[in-house]
Amino acid sequence: MVTETIDTKRARRLALARTGLLEPKWTGLPARAPKNEAGAREAAYAIMRRFGYLQLDTVSIAGARSHVLVLLSRLKNFDPALGESLLAPGAPVFEYWGHEACWLPMELYPAFEFRRERLSVHPWWGDLLTEHADVADRLRARIAEEGALRSADMEGQGGAGWWNLKLAKKIATSLWLSGELAIRERVNFLRTYDLAERVIPPEVRARTVTREAALETLMEVAVSGQGWASRRTVQETWRLRNMKPELDAALERLVARGALVRCALVLDDGRRRAGFVRPEDLELADRLARLRPRDDRGVLLSPFDPLLWDRQRVADLFGFDQILEIFKPAPQRKYGYFCLPVLAGERLVARYDLKADRRRGQLNVLALHHESPKRVAAAKDALARHADAVRLALV
């Protein structure tokens, strides 16, 4: 069994190229949003297609939510408000459980049929659609007759927390996960549910793929979006748990037909991590080895950025400990509530903890931690660029 090798420098630069964080000649992606809305939307969709997903998150303390931050870090002059409305009637994306709750390219809809089947019984709440069939039938009928329905307008009394969600919302979530309903759009980040046949184009819904083919598609997309990827990274891209034999078989088929190559990452200390890469990306990595990434300018990244969510991978490629401290009590945080790492050239050089004050139009720096004293100017540049992107004044 032939296994290629790649060193950390090549893998790191390849990761930056495949995640859209180098110049367009290396990424094949736009670096600037066109002035017209249609062009700006298409640029955002192009970036989404590269990863295969755009993870959603409610936290907007840094001036924008994570899915918008991902786009702002790659598209100069992108309108943050536009980033909140990418899911809209007729858009080439749909919302579903991918990496987490995500917007995904419409062409991947058939590949998630196996998940829709699996999630017809909710993993936390059980078989709500059977246990509360009357509520489910009323909700189906109401949406069929009245049209799309916002989650905020569903009947029932809610409680004071996630686990006390009113029953209608739980039923809507279950119908969405099973594929009967789809999310038509989000307004002020609130979901609007509709019948799947009124959201997903008929030609997409009619397309069927085998479970084996679906897994191959998802595996290939995961590797393509990262450059080099370990098996764990591939698996966690789509949160595919308890499927090891199927995933291994899918990867073997991709290797057998030449879509992927087995490739070991050689760490700086000589240790190796098994993984996969596309043949064309091995060639790209060799060309990138001669590149000198510009390190005098910086860019802030969301902690949920596709480059950053795999903590082990970030440690291997960047020597950076990516910590998310949202769920820690304030006295236990080392860096801050929602820290945004600074990328300068090919290194992660600092972390900012920010707080936006929309009412005053201000962006406040709560904390700054430098990883490299040589990149102070790049960190300042990243902060200024971010403030401009979210349209807030630095204080």
Side-chain angles (χ1 to χ4, degrees):
M1 180 166 44
V2 177
T3 299
E4 300 283 351
T5 60
I6 188 170
D7 60 28
T8 54
K9 182 177 79 170
R10 285 171 170 79
R12 180 171 58 247
R13 293 179 179 184
L14 179 60
L16 294 173
R18 294 306 297 168
T19 53
L21 290 164
L22 293 180
E23 296 177 1
K25 68 178 181 179
W26 299 111
T27 67
L29 294 171
R32 181 184 295 271
K35 293 182 179 180
N36 64 88
E37 181 177 323
R41 284 182 180 274
E42 185 48 46
Y45 295 140
I47 289 170
M48 196 184 308
R49 291 187 193 101
R50 170 61 59 85
F51 311 137
Y53 64 90
L54 191 59
Q55 181 181 346
L56 303 175
D57 190 77
T58 60
V59 177
S60 59
I61 192 170
R65 295 185 175 92
S66 178
H67 50 288
V68 179
L69 294 176
V70 170
L71 298 172
L72 292 177
S73 65
R74 290 157 172 84
L75 291 173
K76 190 173 182 179
N77 298 332
F78 186 74
D79 182 356
L82 185 59
E84 294 287 0
S85 64
L86 294 174
L87 181 71
V93 296
F94 69 104
E95 182 170 328
Y96 197 61
W97 196 261
H99 175 70
E100 298 285 347
C102 295
W103 290 338
L104 303 118
M106 189 65 75
E107 55 265 29
L108 288 184
Y109 185 85
F112 283 96
E113 181 60 29
F114 77 95
R115 178 161 284 170
R116 291 190 287 273
E117 292 173 356
R118 175 180 288 187
L119 294 181
S120 60
V121 175
H122 197 282
W124 300 336
W125 303 326
D127 192 1
L128 294 180
L129 301 183
T130 298
E131 294 171 10
H132 301 280
D134 56 334
V135 178
D137 286 342
R138 287 202 304 271
L139 186 56
R140 290 185 187 101
R142 182 178 176 187
I143 292 175
E145 294 170 9
E146 299 177 17
L149 183 65
R150 295 189 312 160
S151 58
D153 294 333
M154 292 179 184
E155 60 188 2
Q157 295 300 313
W162 176 258
W163 296 108
N164 293 316
L165 277 176
K166 49 192 176 183
L167 181 59
K169 283 189 177 181
K170 290 183 178 180
I171 295 294
T173 300
S174 294
L175 290 170
W176 166 61
L177 289 172
S178 70
E180 287 193 63
L181 297 183
I183 297 171
R184 185 175 184 83
E185 60 184 340
R186 281 182 180 259
V187 179
N188 296 325
F189 208 62
L190 291 176
R191 291 171 170 172
T192 298
Y193 292 94
D194 204 347
L195 301 179
E197 57 261 35
R198 296 201 297 229
V199 176
I200 310 299
E203 65 274 16
V204 175
R205 296 184 72 241
R207 216 167 70 234
T208 60
V209 297
T210 65
R211 186 184 180 95
E212 291 77 12
L215 291 177
E216 289 176 26
T217 295
L218 295 178
M219 299 299 94
E220 192 169 2
V221 169
V223 176
S224 174
Q226 293 286 353
W228 175 89
S230 68
R231 184 196 172 284
R232 178 187 174 279
T233 299
V234 173
Q235 172 184 307
E236 290 303 312
T237 297
W238 307 114
R239 304 304 194 208
L240 296 170
R241 310 288 168 78
N242 304 315
M243 298 180 69
K244 185 177 186 303
E246 290 179 274
L247 300 185
D248 286 344
L251 288 166
E252 286 291 344
R253 291 192 298 271
L254 289 168
V255 169
R257 71 166 184 256
L260 297 181
V261 174
R262 291 187 177 279
C263 183
L265 173 66
V266 182
L267 301 175
D268 294 341
D269 62 6
R271 288 178 299 141
R272 295 190 175 203
R273 297 202 189 282
F276 301 87
V277 69
R278 299 189 309 162
E280 59 266 42
D281 286 340
L282 264 183
E283 298 174 6
L284 174 59
D286 286 338
R287 297 199 303 274
L288 288 167
R290 298 187 292 272
L291 178 68
R292 292 186 178 181
R294 182 173 177 176
D295 59 9
D296 61 331
R297 301 184 63 184
V299 61
L300 286 178
L301 301 179
S302 162
F304 299 118
D305 194 282
L307 184 72
L308 297 178
W309 58 257
D310 189 331
R311 188 173 175 181
Q312 182 61 62
R313 174 184 167 85
V314 174
D316 287 343
L317 298 188
F318 294 91
F320 184 87
D321 188 12
Q322 170 56 15
I323 301 175
L324 183 63
E325 300 182 291
I326 286 179
F327 302 110
K328 288 184 179 180
Q332 297 179 21
R333 295 176 194 143
K334 182 177 181 181
Y335 298 112
Y337 175 75
F338 192 79
C339 269
L340 287 78
V342 176
L343 175 70
E346 61 180 314
R347 294 294 181 180
L348 296 166
V349 302
R351 313 167 199 249
Y352 278 103
D353 190 29
L354 305 175
K355 185 173 184 180
D357 185 338
R358 284 286 173 191
R359 186 171 63 84
R360 290 186 170 89
Q362 297 176 346
L363 183 65
N364 301 287
V365 178
L366 303 182
L368 166 61
H369 298 270
H370 288 287
E371 299 284 316
S372 170
K374 297 179 180 180
R375 300 290 180 265
V376 172
K380 290 181 179 179
D381 177 70
L383 179 63
R385 174 177 170 178
H386 176 75
D388 182 63
V390 297
R391 301 176 182 182
L392 293 171
L394 278 171
V395 294

